[in-house]
Amino acid sequence: MRPRPRPPVNGRGIFSGTGLIVTALAATVVALLVPLWSYADRQDDPASASVLSARTVTTPYGPLSAQDRDFVTKVRLAGLWELPAGELAQRKGTTPAVRTAGRHLVDGHTSLDAHVRTVATQLGIALPNEPNEQQKQWLATLDTAEGQDFDRQFAGLLRLAHGRVFSLVAQIRAGTQNSLVRDLADDANATVLDHIKVLEATGYVDFAALARDLAAAASPVPTPSEVDPSAAVPVEPSAAVPSAADPSAGQAAQGQASQPQTSPGDTVSLPPATSSPPPDTNSP
């Protein structure tokens, strides 16, 4: 006679208390292992590792990001064209305010360039030895301009350039983890703000045009070839002085001598904002 089947016992099988616990533990193990396998796969990818190392490197002064290195390069580039532009303003400016702005640019970038070269040496960052193509074009424009056209071009171009870099300085200062870059950003912030003030004090800044230009996206410009920081040529004032035989140079020197001697950190009295240059008092 066939034995009668036994009825199921309550509490056994996968839906019993023990079965639920085992199932939950198995799911937990799987959840833990899958991310580990995924992370291991990413670590074995040489391309991924190279991207991470290219973005941020370790230094004795804190992590150095790609943005930090780009900032150091931009500070160097600024001095390579703005100091020569300041010298042009000292020689060709038709008003004391323009010549004063030129002197501030020369003094400020002489000091700031020495700082950036020191930082680049400590962090091993290569530096350019010449301005980029856009900056060369700006210098060429100033070199050929004369009279009030020079004053207007000088104030407009330099104020635009300083306005663009001012926001970059603030961004780097707020987020960098590197103490040397942080100190450089403090120095650059004070220098750029001083230059903005003296440029606006010329009365030649067209604020409406400036706002439009700053709102437009700047086209990327390739960085010139770079050299070891030990081979970076210092940005310093040239030894040349205006010729006494040049009447305009003599007038510039006389006007500059009549101005109170101020340092880049001094407060400059700003005229009312204007969208057009001052009238030519020499015209009939």
Side-chain angles (χ1 to χ4, degrees), residues 129-169:
N129 256 342
E130 61 179 355
N132 63 35
E133 290 303 316
Q134 183 181 57
Q135 293 165 341
K136 289 180 180 178
Q137 292 173 9
W138 287 339
L139 280 174
T141 297
L142 295 178
D143 193 47
T144 58
E146 298 292 341
Q148 283 195 352
D149 180 52
F150 171 85
D151 295 341
R152 188 183 301 106
Q153 296 272 16
F154 168 76
L157 289 174
L158 271 297
R159 179 59 180 83
L160 173 62
H162 282 78
R164 285 175 175 168
V165 76
F166 197 45
S167 59
L168 172 64
V169 174

Side-chain angles (χ1 to χ4, degrees), residues 78-89 91 106 131 139 142 235-236:
L80 287 170
W81 88 276
E82 290 177 14
L83 187 146
E87 290 186 311
L88 287 174
R91 294 198 303 268
V106 171
L139 280 174
L142 295 178
V235 173
E236 297 174 340

Side-chain angles (χ1 to χ4, degrees), residues 24-119:
L25 288 174
T28 301
V29 171
V30 171
L32 291 173
L33 289 178
V34 168
L36 290 176
W37 290 332
S38 175
Y39 180 77
D41 290 341
R42 289 198 302 269
Q43 290 296 97
D44 291 340
D45 183 3
S48 176
S50 64
V51 169
L52 290 174
S53 63
R55 288 177 179 170
T56 302
V57 296
T58 302
T59 77
Y61 311 97
L64 181 70
S65 68
Q67 290 80 7
D68 293 335
R69 293 192 293 273
D70 182 62
F71 169 69
V72 173
T73 300
K74 281 183 167 59
V75 172
R76 167 69 173 177
L77 281 170
L80 287 170
W81 88 276
E82 290 177 14
L83 187 146
E87 290 186 311
L88 287 174
Q90 287 182 291
R91 294 198 303 268
K92 301 173 66 173
T94 66
T95 69
V98 171
R99 294 189 292 272
T100 296
R103 188 172 72 253
H104 277 241
L105 261 68
V106 171
D107 293 344
H109 282 292
T110 300
S111 173
L112 190 59
D113 184 73
H115 191 169
V116 75
R117 284 184 288 108
T118 299
V119 170

Side-chain angles (χ1 to χ4, degrees), residues 158-215:
L158 271 297
R159 179 59 180 83
L160 173 62
H162 282 78
R164 285 175 175 168
V165 76
F166 197 45
S167 59
L168 172 64
V169 174
Q171 177 185 350
I172 294 298
R173 180 59 181 83
T176 185
Q177 302 179 67
N178 190 282
S179 61
L180 294 184
V181 174
R182 191 177 303 121
D183 290 342
L184 180 62
D186 284 339
D187 193 2
N189 182 74
T191 301
V192 172
L193 182 57
D194 170 71
H195 293 174
I196 285 176
K197 289 181 178 180
V198 293
L199 288 165
E200 292 174 351
T202 65
Y204 281 97
V205 175
D206 185 337
F207 289 98
L210 176 66
R212 291 193 299 269
D213 291 339
L214 289 176

